[in-house]
Amino acid sequence: TTTDQTPAEKQQLRIATTTSLYDTKLLDHLTPIFEEKYNAEVLIVSGGTGKAIEYGQRGDVDVLMVHDRAREDAFLADGYGVNRRVFAYNYFVVIGPESDPAGIKGMGPVQAFKTIYAAGESNTPGVTFISRGDASGTHSKEQAIWKAAGFNYSTDIQGNDWYQEAGTGMGATIAMTNEKQAYALSDIGTFLAYKGDVDLVALVDEGDALLNVYCAMQINPEKYPDTNIALAKEWTNFLISDEIQQEIASFGVAEYGQPLFYAAQNDWEKIGVTEAEVKDPVA
Amino acid sequence: MYEIVEGFLEAIRLIVTLDPNVMAIAVRSIIISLTATIIASLFAIPLGAAINFGTFPGRKSLINLIQTLYSLPTVIVGLLIFLLISRVGPFGFMRLLFTPTAMIIAQTVLIIPIMTGLTISALSGVDPVIRDTLRSLGATKLQFLTNVIKEARFAILATVAVGFGRAISEVGAAILVGGNIAAASFASSTRVLTTAISLETSMGNISQSIALGIVLLVIALGVNLAIAAVQHR
Amino acid sequence: MYEIVEGFLEAIRLIVTLDPNVMAIAVRSIIISLTATIIASLFAIPLGAAINFGTFPGRKSLINLIQTLYSLPTVIVGLLIFLLISRVGPFGFMRLLFTPTAMIIAQTVLIIPIMTGLTISALSGVDPVIRDTLRSLGATKLQFLTNVIKEARFAILATVAVGFGRAISEVGAAILVGGNIAAASFASSTRVLTTAISLETSMGNISQSIALGIVLLVIALGVNLAIAAVQHR
Amino acid sequence: MIELENVSKYFGDTRVLDGVTGKVNRGEIFAVIGPSGSGKSTLLRLIDLLDTPTGGTIRVDGTDIHTEHEKSLSVRRMMGMVFQKPAVFNATVAENIAVGLRFRGADKNKIDARIKEALDLVGLGGYGQRRARTLSGGEMQRVALARAMVIEPEILLLDEPTANLDPVSVAMIEDLVVRINRDLGTTIVFSTHDMYQGQRLAHRLGVLMNGVFAQVGTPREVFTLPASREVARFVGIENIVEGVVVSENGTSAVDAGGIRIRARSPFGAGEAICLCIRSEDIRIAPAIRGRRVFDGNILPGTVTSVVPRGPFSKVTVDCGFSLSSILSWKKVDDLNLREGREVVVSFSPESVHVVRRE
Amino acid sequence: MIELENVSKYFGDTRVLDGVTGKVNRGEIFAVIGPSGSGKSTLLRLIDLLDTPTGGTIRVDGTDIHTEHEKSLSVRRMMGMVFQKPAVFNATVAENIAVGLRFRGADKNKIDARIKEALDLVGLGGYGQRRARTLSGGEMQRVALARAMVIEPEILLLDEPTANLDPVSVAMIEDLVVRINRDLGTTIVFSTHDMYQGQRLAHRLGVLMNGVFAQVGTPREVFTLPASREVARFVGIENIVEGVVVSENGTSAVDAGGIRIRARSPFGAGEAICLCIRSEDIRIAPAIRGRRVFDGNILPGTVTSVVPRGPFSKVTVDCGFSLSSILSWKKVDDLNLREGREVVVSFSPESVHVVRRE
Ligand SMILES: Nc1ncnc2c1ncn2[C@@H]1O[C@H](COP(=O)(O)OP(=O)(O)OP(=O)(O)O)[C@@H](O)[C@H]1O
Ligand SMILES: Nc1ncnc2c1ncn2[C@@H]1O[C@H](COP(=O)(O)OP(=O)(O)OP(=O)(O)O)[C@@H](O)[C@H]1O
Ligand SMILES: [Mg+2]
Ligand SMILES: [Mg+2]
């Protein structure tokens, strides 16, 4: 980063992002490159998905980066956002104790959830599921899997003795899962960050249901004309540029021995989005 | 801004309808924070008195240290308690983590410094002649302390109010050692008003957060009125 | 438990090497919280004095209300300020959200109640004869206030210590209106010690959190020593 | 200068002042004397605007001080007050004394000069840099006096200003009070429980009892012609004897429990009265048989006690009722007075002051 | 009972007590008198274990109270103290008085009975339920006395116990002190700046001056034979005249500024001394020419002032040096004494007390 004597001249770009993305430090890795290239200053605030969206809805930021398809669509439909571009994806993991009392290791995610449910309902000792319970992207994903497994979330799942809502961030949820030697759904980045400190393993890490897609959206300039429209576009385009897609794909390999994200560029079919959403620069 | 109005109306609705979910959280908050305040008072008031009236080397440094601990962030308190009571920690065998008991411990630890410090201030304000009079009437150490505290009851109860305020309004420690759990049973849940507020905020439900904040203030008002009633007796 | 030890060592390393990143955060914390404390003092001390010496209907209720506001959770303060200064809020045009100024405002609002309340306690402890003496010497209202405050300086400065402690240790409001931004330039960043601690904690870096907590306490110690130096003059 | 009109002050149900009326003239030294709890401090506090009367009016130079609020500060700045239990600010002695001057915006040189002067006047020269909180009771009192004095108020209110002082300091302060009054023309109102001090200093005194001024007058009037039995007692008349007037030719005679006493009184026959006789006016002689040439009251009696009092002794004689006399130690030795001795007690009708009994 | 051995107390560099030695006997009433700031309060506080002496030893019943810490509480429980500026607890009067008894675990009935009794004794019957903070200065002082008294201490320490009281209350309290001492055998140490009070109450008194007891003795000794000029002044001897002994046959003669005065003195010729003469011992007569039959000192002079003092007047005459006499008002009128009048002053050689000048 170049030290800057006259920061007033620099344009500022404000981004709201979800915690799980921010905590991986991917953005910390990317922003200096952007700042240098566009002589800009990037200000990133992170929060729960709901909070990040709230910032976007109120026009307090220029760009929103989240991973919750349903709410993204609502955000776009309500006219708050435009120009969504998908730049990365990875998979959620179902984590749990090595002893795996419900016996889900190697199952598909939907099957695993069904198994946990059955074990929980039959009071199998040591089977507890900890949910984020905070309406985050991860929590949305978890609810979607329960649904896919044939359960009604609010009537079948919530309120069971073996099902606890942590109501906190991912890190705290992992800590709690570790403490209780329970099961939980986690994003891969946070789990890798915690892995060294906890006695938990990823029991299920494959399956379409675990897909986790990250996108960036520009705040609708028609609603908030004084957002930094130009830089917001630059940022979006920057994320889907070839150079940065490679950075994303290699991020974390050095530290964790495996990548935290996959580049979205060439996998648009696999992750169920249009080609335009991963490739077309914003005009 | 309409969220504030909405929050107010929601708060009124929650209180009037005695919303069972919110009531459970509110009651848990009261139990936890009041217990912590009482336990902290039992430590802090005698400790503050001992420091105020003691003459030992390093007394001034100790007071400075205590004042410094006012700045102890709640998250750090939470972390320390967390490390002590987590499964692999020295007190892990007690299985306290993510229980209301753990939250009481954390809040107690959190407010002891400020309560001790304010107790010292309160007692140092007592007229020296009153202190001499108690001594000359043949007070034992304990009688001396209880009577000086009685004499400074106004300021001491203000200290208790500060302690309670800090306990019930903190969130960092509560969430770390409690976990904001919404379990099926009342006793295994650890969701209190502040952690619920923080959750609602992270979900972007601003008016719900404000409503819960108002519920919390109503509780605090009740506790303060009770304290004031004792104060002016 | 080894995290605590590690945290200590890390804290020492950070302080000894004057780690530039941590130093920037620490300096920002000091600037923000000290400014907030000074501004809050300018409001709270005169206000507390006015309430303590005033005789107006509802005085007792007002004191109760102030004590109640001790319990105002920092998140709620953060939310209210957020609603006011967010772009669609009434002061949105000032573009204060996610700036250190916003954090100063939030912390100021947060600590005004407790500082006012403790000022009232401090002043109510002043010997009535001292008050009468000042009046009989022909003090104007302002002279009366400044002199009573001077007389109660020990307790008043303790109040300032409490206010500073609460400001520098709070995180809820700081993160909501500041955003915990680590920007390239010092002035646009809003990361302070508590928000950094909270971030490190959420990433599972417990010893880094503890190290930052210790840095925070070292700062608080410095401020308290400065206050104590004034107090004992 | 100060007019009190029917001033009353209740604390809840307790009536402390219940219609005090009086007037303090410009340049006068006026003493408020009265028993403990009679409301002396309360009255001074009302004059100094530190408390509000329940009823009545206090006027200073014609201003009704408790209703004309816009003048409060200027009225208060006319006055200086020394409290009964003075409190000092937690600062040096010099800073304590400077406060009033600083309030009035005096400049530093003037303040310093005045402080020095005032400290010398109250006998605390060189104490300027001491922490005021470490002073002894008497020293504090003198600091408080210096503090009120340096502002050169038109009215100085002193609430028992010498209660904590030794006689040498008392003499010094009394001297100072007289000089302030004489040299600066300051009107001084002080309360005291020491009636001799009232007498030494005051031009006039008011005796506060049961919420009102039981008597206002010059010291001599109050001391020689107390208005009531209570005042008589309070001003130190030790011999107060109940009786009934029995008309007689010329001077009246009084029947006191069967014993006839001659006295001058304006009261008619049959009235219940009290005789007040100062101890100093009572003579004691050996019980010599035979008639002595004395146109007064001569009563035989028995000595019941002899107690020292200052350089004198107080001898009490039972002659139907008790009468005390003050004699020098030498006289007591000469007459060989001790308990049980028979003596005669005599006093002139002129030395008897008669008040109505209520 | 209480032995003071070379007790000293410095506050920083200020030497307040600098070697006080003395003894208070069991059952005695001992007065500490001395000027303001002489250390009376400090001494009482040291005895009550509220402060630590810089040097020396204080023994109570043989226990060195400042070193035998394990006995502190029991020593303190032997004593009761009333402070110079008493403070009351923020509670009712009755609760204030109960405190000491509660500390000793007395039962409720006993406490209630004692409180009632004590309140009556100090003249505050019926005040039990009043908030102590609202009492007047004198009332507080009496509550403080009652509070110390109810625990029936073996030693009662009273720091200027009547400084805030009116004469009627003073008499009541003095009476009470004498009765406590007589009926319960309580040893009483009190400080006062009122030497007459010292004399009225104390069996012995110590005059504290310049950090030491300048004199310890019975009131009569101290009053008639003060050990030094300072003590003489302090005990109210108003006429102190400097002179030099001139040897002569039989009684000595003193030269005081050229005027010869006859006095009895133990000092040799040439010694610098002071003559102390009580006002009461000085007579004033009209300046009649011709020799009068009087074997004493007769000095002609001019009246310089006549000021009232209680029921007397103080007449000051210049006869080379100033001499004051105390006369009744009547006498003043009879002799027609006023400023400028020529008179003769007379006093006997026996009434002159001679002290060495230092
Ligand atoms: N704030 C108060 N509330 C209730 N009663 C009070 C208050 N202040 C004074 N009093 C009562 O009023 C009466 C007069 O008090 P004040 O202090 O004026 O007496 P005083 O004449 O100065 O007595 P002293 O000679 O003992 O100082 C006392 O009985 C006292 O208890
Ligand atoms: N804590 C202290 N620090 C410094 N000096 C002190 C302290 N306490 C008392 N003194 C000084 O010691 C001296 C004696 O004080 P003390 O109160 O014993 O006098 P006192 O004889 O009781 O006088 P008074 O008759 O005025 O009450 C005074 O000059 C006082 O200023
Ligand atoms: Mg009074
Ligand atoms: Mg004293």
Side-chain angles (χ1 to χ4, degrees):
Chain A
T1 317
T2 54
T3 47
D4 185 31
Q5 259 70 35
T6 53
E9 287 176 17
K10 274 194 177 168
Q11 298 252 26
Q12 288 187 336
L13 176 67
R14 291 156 186 254
I15 301 174
T17 169
T18 60
T19 321
S20 55
L21 181 59
Y22 186 75
D23 289 359
T24 59
K25 301 210 162 141
L26 172 66
L27 297 179
D28 288 344
H29 178 66
L30 299 180
T31 47
I33 309 172
F34 181 82
E35 287 179 337
E36 177 135 10
K37 196 159 169 185
Y38 296 94
N39 187 31
E41 184 169 49
V42 180
L43 307 181
I44 301 174
V45 294
S46 72
T49 304
K51 191 163 139 199
I53 288 177
E54 178 81 26
Y55 284 140
Q57 282 177 343
R58 305 178 66 93
D60 289 319
V61 291
D62 309 314
V63 171
L64 180 62
M65 295 169 74
V66 285
H67 62 148
D68 188 337
R69 184 62 190 251
R71 278 194 274 177
E72 286 160 33
D73 287 341
F75 190 79
L76 291 169
D78 291 346
Y80 289 111
V82 292
N83 299 333
R84 173 168 63 188
R85 290 295 179 273
V86 172
F87 62 91
Y89 71 97
N90 59 16
Y91 292 92
F92 287 106
V93 288
V94 180
I95 57 174
E98 216 147 1
S99 59
D100 189 15
I104 62 165
K105 194 167 174 64
M107 289 180 177
V110 176
Q111 187 57 32
F113 270 43
K114 282 183 181 159
T115 310
I116 289 171
Y117 177 86
E121 289 296 291
S122 59
N123 290 322
T124 309
V127 174
T128 307
F129 189 93
I130 311 273
S131 165
R132 283 281 290 272
D134 63 350
S136 59
T138 310
H139 190 204
S140 294
K141 176 61 78 180
E142 182 206 322
Q143 292 178 44
I145 302 174
W146 287 119
K147 197 171 169 208
F151 300 107
N152 179 320
Y153 181 68
S154 54
T155 57
D156 297 340
I157 306 301
Q158 278 183 307
N160 285 317
D161 280 343
W162 55 268
Y163 185 83
Q164 290 192 338
E165 292 180 54
T168 65
M170 195 67 248
T173 304
I174 292 174
M176 196 182 300
T177 307
N178 179 51
E179 184 69 17
K180 304 206 165 188
Q181 290 291 291
Y183 295 97
L185 183 71
S186 170
D187 69 280
I188 184 71
T190 313
F191 177 62
L192 288 178
Y194 269 85
K195 202 173 173 185
D197 299 330
V198 297
D199 314 322
L200 295 170
V201 293
L203 296 166
V204 179
D205 55 4
E206 273 167 33
D208 290 345
L210 293 177
L211 188 64
N212 184 19
V213 177
Y214 290 93
C215 79
M217 285 181 286
Q218 191 190 335
I219 302 304
N220 189 349
E222 280 169 31
K223 256 208 155 70
Y224 298 108
D226 55 350
T227 50
N228 199 333
I229 305 161
L231 264 189
K233 283 180 184 163
E234 301 288 10
W235 174 258
T236 315
N237 294 338
F238 170 77
L239 287 178
I240 59 174
S241 67
D242 292 345
E243 179 201 348
I244 297 308
Q245 287 286 300
Q246 272 172 30
E247 286 288 343
I248 291 172
S250 61
F251 179 74
V253 177
E255 193 174 347
Y256 303 109
Q258 68 180 92
L260 293 183
F261 298 94
Y262 303 105
Q265 203 172 39
N266 300 313
D267 296 347
W268 54 275
E269 268 172 314
K270 187 174 168 189
I271 60 179
V273 299
T274 62
E275 182 171 9
E277 273 191 316
V278 298
K279 291 218 165 123
D280 284 8
V282 176
Chain B
M1 293 304 293
Y2 81 99
E3 291 94 339
I4 299 181
V5 179
E6 211 176 283
F8 254 98
L9 297 177
E10 174 69 3
I12 292 169
R13 196 189 64 72
L14 292 174
I15 294 170
V16 171
T17 63
L18 293 172
D19 182 287
N21 194 17
V22 171
M23 285 307 125
I25 294 177
V27 169
R28 192 177 299 114
S29 287
I30 296 174
I31 293 174
I32 290 176
S33 298
L34 218 48
T35 310
T37 309
I38 291 167
I39 297 174
S41 301
L42 295 179
F43 282 95
I45 295 174
L47 185 63
I51 294 170
N52 185 57
F53 296 114
T55 44
F56 47 88
R59 185 174 161 277
K60 278 199 179 157
S61 317
L62 184 59
I63 293 178
N64 271 319
L65 180 71
I66 290 169
Q67 286 202 349
T68 300
L69 292 178
Y70 294 179
S71 307
L72 199 59
T74 60
V75 177
I76 296 290
V77 174
L79 276 179
L80 296 176
I81 303 291
F82 177 90
L83 292 173
L84 289 172
I85 63 174
S86 94
R87 220 158 31 86
V88 296
F91 300 100
F93 65 95
M94 298 173 81
R95 309 305 304 240
L96 288 175
L97 197 60
F98 305 127
T99 63
T101 310
M103 300 168 80
I104 292 174
I105 294 172
Q107 293 190 350
T108 303
V109 170
L110 179 74
I111 64 178
I112 280 180
I114 197 163
M115 289 190 71
T116 306
L118 292 179
T119 300
I120 295 173
S121 287
L123 293 179
S124 71
V126 174
D127 183 354
V129 182
I130 284 285
R131 280 147 37 185
D132 286 346
T133 303
L134 284 171
R135 292 213 175 89
S136 87
L137 286 171
T140 61
K141 287 229 167 76
L142 186 66
Q143 288 167 337
F144 176 78
L145 287 187
T146 51
N147 278 273
V148 175
I149 289 167
K150 214 166 123 193
E151 200 59 25
R153 60 184 172 276
F154 195 91
I156 295 275
L157 283 169
T159 302
V160 174
V162 170
F164 176 77
R166 188 144 168 79
I168 201 167
S169 69
E170 79 83 30
V171 60
I175 222 159
L176 266 167
V177 304
N180 193 24
I181 298 173
S185 75
F186 183 85
S188 15
S189 299
T190 55
R191 182 160 300 175
V192 289
L193 284 166
T194 50
T195 59
I197 288 170
S198 145
L199 176 61
E200 294 295 343
T201 304
S202 83
M203 298 195 299
N205 302 334
I206 297 186
S207 32
Q208 186 73 12
S209 295
I210 290 178
L212 290 174
I214 292 168
V215 172
L216 193 154
L217 287 182
V218 170
I219 291 172
L221 182 63
V223 171
N224 278 302
L225 288 177
I227 288 177
V230 180
Q231 241 168 0
H232 291 106
R233 256 211 334 228
Chain C
M1 293 302 293
Y2 81 101
E3 290 95 338
I4 299 180
V5 179
E6 211 176 283
F8 254 99
L9 297 177
E10 173 68 3
I12 292 167
R13 195 190 65 73
L14 291 175
I15 293 169
V16 170
T17 62
L18 294 173
D19 181 287
N21 197 15
V22 170
M23 284 308 126
I25 294 175
V27 169
R28 193 175 301 113
S29 288
I30 295 173
I31 293 174
I32 290 174
S33 297
L34 219 47
T35 311
T37 309
I38 291 167
I39 297 174
S41 301
L42 295 180
F43 283 96
I45 296 174
L47 185 63
I51 294 170
N52 185 56
F53 296 115
T55 44
F56 48 87
R59 184 174 162 277
K60 280 199 177 156
S61 316
L62 184 60
I63 293 178
N64 271 320
L65 179 72
I66 289 169
Q67 286 201 349
T68 300
L69 291 178
Y70 295 179
S71 306
L72 200 59
T74 61
V75 177
I76 296 291
V77 174
L79 276 179
L80 295 177
I81 303 292
F82 171 79
L83 291 173
L84 290 172
I85 63 174
S86 135
R87 181 170 316 212
V88 296
F91 300 101
F93 65 93
M94 299 174 78
R95 310 299 310 252
L96 289 174
L97 193 64
F98 306 137
T99 63
T101 310
M103 300 169 79
I104 291 173
I105 295 171
Q107 292 189 351
T108 303
V109 170
L110 179 73
I111 65 178
I112 280 181
I114 197 162
M115 290 190 70
T116 306
L118 291 179
T119 300
I120 295 173
S121 286
L123 294 180
S124 72
V126 173
D127 183 354
V129 183
I130 285 285
R131 280 147 40 184
D132 285 346
T133 303
L134 284 171
R135 291 212 177 91
S136 87
L137 286 170
T140 61
K141 288 229 165 78
L142 186 67
Q143 289 167 338
F144 177 78
L145 288 186
T146 51
N147 278 273
V148 174
I149 288 167
K150 214 166 123 192
E151 200 60 23
R153 58 187 172 275
F154 195 91
I156 294 276
L157 284 168
T159 301
V160 174
V162 170
F164 176 77
R166 188 142 168 79
I168 202 167
S169 68
E170 78 84 29
V171 59
I175 224 160
L176 263 168
V177 304
N180 190 26
I181 296 171
S185 73
F186 183 85
S188 341
S189 300
T190 55
R191 180 160 299 173
V192 289
L193 285 165
T194 50
T195 59
I197 289 170
S198 154
L199 178 65
E200 295 295 343
T201 304
S202 80
M203 299 196 302
N205 302 333
I206 294 187
S207 35
Q208 185 73 10
S209 295
I210 290 178
L212 291 175
I214 291 168
V215 171
L216 193 155
L217 286 183
V218 169
I219 291 172
L221 183 62
V223 171
N224 277 302
L225 287 177
I227 288 177
V230 179
Q231 242 169 0
H232 290 108
R233 257 211 332 230
Chain D
M1 178 111 222
I2 307 174
E3 287 160 85
L4 307 169
E5 202 180 299
N6 208 18
V7 175
S8 62
K9 177 73 189 174
Y10 304 170
F11 291 106
D13 286 343
T14 328
R15 301 182 175 207
V16 175
L17 301 180
D18 205 8
V20 175
T21 299
K23 192 159 177 293
V24 178
N25 300 316
R26 182 177 298 278
E28 186 173 47
I29 305 185
F30 187 92
V32 179
I33 65 175
S36 171
S38 61
K40 302 181 293 295
S41 303
T42 304
L43 187 60
L44 294 185
R45 289 172 55 84
L46 291 178
I47 296 174
D48 201 28
L49 282 169
L50 296 171
D51 216 334
T52 324
T54 311
T57 315
I58 299 178
R59 270 189 292 273
V60 172
D61 278 349
T63 307
D64 179 342
I65 58 173
H66 285 282
T67 56
E68 304 183 28
H69 293 296
E70 69 287 356
K71 294 198 187 155
S72 289
L73 185 66
S74 65
V75 167
R76 216 182 245 150
R77 288 208 168 169
M78 289 171 60
M79 304 194 267
M81 177 152 177
V82 175
F83 294 87
Q84 184 166 1
K85 284 172 148 201
V88 289
F89 303 117
N90 189 3
T92 65
V93 169
E95 286 169 68
N96 261 276
I97 297 176
V99 172
L101 292 171
R102 281 202 287 100
F103 286 172
R104 286 159 180 77
D107 71 46
K108 210 179 153 334
N109 290 340
K110 182 176 165 198
I111 292 179
D112 288 348
R114 285 279 196 82
I115 290 173
K116 217 192 135 331
E117 195 183 343
L119 280 176
D120 289 342
L121 278 176
V122 298
L124 289 176
Y127 273 59
Q129 291 317 305
R130 277 276 299 275
R131 303 283 321 162
R133 285 264 176 99
T134 67
L135 297 176
S136 80
E139 290 161 348
M140 270 192 207
Q141 193 117 16
R142 285 184 274 165
V143 169
L145 183 62
R147 188 167 58 187
M149 216 176 63
V150 288
I151 58 176
E152 297 191 348
E154 288 185 50
I155 300 172
L156 199 50
L157 305 168
L158 309 173
D159 197 1
E160 318 224 358
T162 59
N164 279 310
L165 297 179
D166 65 274
V168 177
S169 311
V170 167
M172 176 207 291
I173 297 298
E174 289 184 353
D175 213 63
L176 190 58
V177 167
V178 170
R179 259 163 48 209
I180 292 172
N181 170 260
R182 198 183 50 208
D183 300 348
L184 304 175
T186 311
T187 307
I188 296 175
V189 182
F190 73 102
S191 79
T192 184
H193 52 247
D194 176 355
M195 63 216 171
Y196 294 147
Q197 180 171 66
Q199 186 198 33
R200 281 195 296 275
L201 296 182
H203 301 127
R204 287 192 308 138
L205 17 101
V207 185
L208 199 54
M209 279 180 167
N210 304 319
V212 294
F213 276 145
Q215 184 168 6
V216 179
T218 64
R220 189 139 190 176
E221 278 162 16
V222 174
F223 277 76
T224 54
L225 305 170
S228 69
R229 174 197 194 139
E230 282 75 32
V231 176
R233 232 201 113 167
F234 188 75
V235 299
I237 299 185
E238 286 179 88
N239 301 298
I240 299 178
V241 181
E242 297 190 354
V244 177
V245 177
V246 187
S247 201
E248 220 175 59
N249 53 332
T251 53
S252 35
V254 173
D255 179 280
I259 297 162
R260 280 279 154 117
I261 292 174
R262 298 175 61 197
R264 294 168 189 272
S265 97
F267 302 105
E271 284 218 62
I273 49 93
C274 282
L275 305 170
C276 308
I277 315 154
R278 290 209 159 267
S279 302
E280 300 82 34
D281 293 332
I282 291 183
R283 263 143 299 170
I284 293 182
I288 302 165
R289 303 277 147 204
R291 192 142 175 81
R292 301 171 92 222
V293 190
F294 178 62
D295 179 29
N297 299 292
I298 304 183
L299 308 173
T302 315
V303 174
T304 53
S305 78
V306 180
V307 295
R309 189 198 270 175
F312 300 99
S313 285
K314 175 175 152 190
V315 179
T316 308
V317 178
D318 179 10
C319 41
F321 40 80
S322 267
L323 285 179
S324 304
S325 174
I326 292 290
L327 302 173
S328 74
W329 293 350
K330 188 157 176 302
K331 191 88 183 262
V332 172
D333 286 352
D334 288 354
L335 295 180
N336 192 18
L337 294 178
R338 44 188 145 66
E339 247 176 80
R341 210 164 126 83
E342 310 251 318
V343 292
V344 285
V345 170
S346 62
F347 52 95
S348 70
E350 291 75 28
S351 63
V352 182
H353 172 60
V354 181
V355 297
R356 184 181 274 113
R357 188 148 39 109
E358 274 140 42
Chain E
M1 179 111 221
I2 307 174
E3 287 161 84
L4 306 169
E5 203 178 299
N6 208 19
V7 174
S8 62
K9 177 70 190 174
Y10 304 171
F11 291 105
D13 287 343
T14 328
R15 302 183 174 206
V16 175
L17 301 180
D18 205 8
V20 176
T21 299
K23 194 161 177 292
V24 178
N25 300 316
R26 182 178 297 279
E28 186 173 46
I29 305 185
F30 188 92
V32 179
I33 64 174
S36 171
S38 60
K40 303 181 293 296
S41 301
T42 305
L43 186 61
L44 293 186
R45 289 173 56 85
L46 291 177
I47 296 174
D48 200 28
L49 281 169
L50 295 172
D51 216 334
T52 324
T54 312
T57 315
I58 299 177
R59 269 188 292 274
V60 172
D61 280 349
T63 306
D64 179 343
I65 57 172
H66 285 283
T67 55
E68 303 182 29
H69 293 296
E70 68 289 356
K71 294 196 187 159
S72 288
L73 185 64
S74 65
V75 167
R76 216 183 245 151
R77 288 210 168 167
M78 291 171 60
M79 304 193 269
M81 177 152 177
V82 175
F83 294 88
Q84 184 165 2
K85 284 173 150 201
V88 290
F89 304 117
N90 189 2
T92 64
V93 168
E95 286 169 65
N96 261 277
I97 297 176
V99 172
L101 292 171
R102 281 201 288 102
F103 285 171
R104 286 158 180 79
D107 70 45
K108 213 183 150 330
N109 290 339
K110 184 175 164 200
I111 292 180
D112 288 348
R114 283 281 195 80
I115 290 172
K116 217 194 135 328
E117 197 182 343
L119 280 177
D120 289 342
L121 278 176
V122 297
L124 291 175
Y127 274 59
Q129 290 318 305
R130 278 277 298 276
R131 304 283 322 161
R133 286 263 174 101
T134 67
L135 296 177
S136 80
E139 289 162 350
M140 271 193 207
Q141 194 116 14
R142 286 183 276 165
V143 169
L145 182 63
R147 187 168 59 189
M149 215 175 65
V150 288
I151 58 177
E152 295 188 350
E154 288 186 49
I155 300 172
L156 199 50
L157 305 168
L158 309 173
D159 196 1
E160 318 224 358
T162 60
N164 278 309
L165 296 181
D166 65 273
V168 176
S169 311
V170 167
M172 176 207 291
I173 298 297
E174 289 184 354
D175 213 64
L176 190 59
V177 167
V178 171
R179 258 159 53 206
I180 293 172
N181 170 261
R182 197 185 50 207
D183 300 349
L184 306 173
T186 311
T187 307
I188 295 175
V189 183
F190 73 100
S191 79
T192 184
H193 53 248
D194 177 355
M195 64 218 171
Y196 293 147
Q197 180 171 67
Q199 185 198 33
R200 280 195 297 275
L201 296 182
H203 301 127
R204 288 193 308 137
L205 18 99
V207 184
L208 199 56
M209 278 179 167
N210 304 321
V212 295
F213 276 143
Q215 184 170 4
V216 179
T218 63
R220 190 142 188 172
E221 278 163 16
V222 174
F223 277 76
T224 54
L225 305 169
S228 70
R229 175 199 194 135
E230 283 75 30
V231 175
R233 235 202 110 172
F234 188 75
V235 299
I237 298 185
E238 287 179 88
N239 301 299
I240 299 177
V241 181
E242 298 192 353
V244 176
V245 177
V246 186
S247 201
E248 219 176 60
N249 55 330
T251 54
S252 32
V254 172
D255 179 281
I259 298 164
R260 280 277 155 115
I261 292 174
R262 299 175 60 197
R264 296 167 185 274
S265 98
F267 302 106
E271 283 220 61
I273 49 93
C274 282
L275 305 171
C276 307
I277 315 153
R278 291 207 158 267
S279 304
E280 300 81 35
D281 293 332
I282 290 183
R283 261 143 300 169
I284 293 183
I288 302 167
R289 305 275 146 204
R291 194 143 173 80
R292 302 171 91 224
V293 190
F294 178 62
D295 180 28
N297 300 292
I298 304 184
L299 308 172
T302 314
V303 174
T304 54
S305 78
V306 181
V307 293
R309 192 199 267 177
F312 300 98
S313 285
K314 176 175 152 188
V315 179
T316 308
V317 178
D318 179 9
C319 39
F321 40 81
S322 267
L323 285 180
S324 303
S325 172
I326 292 289
L327 303 174
S328 73
W329 294 349
K330 191 158 173 299
K331 190 90 182 260
V332 171
D333 287 351
D334 287 355
L335 295 179
N336 192 16
L337 295 177
R338 45 190 144 63
E339 246 177 80
R341 209 163 127 84
E342 311 250 317
V343 291
V344 288
V345 170
S346 60
F347 53 92
S348 69
E350 291 76 28
S351 62
V352 181
H353 173 60
V354 181
V355 298
R356 185 180 273 115
R357 190 145 39 110
E358 274 140 42

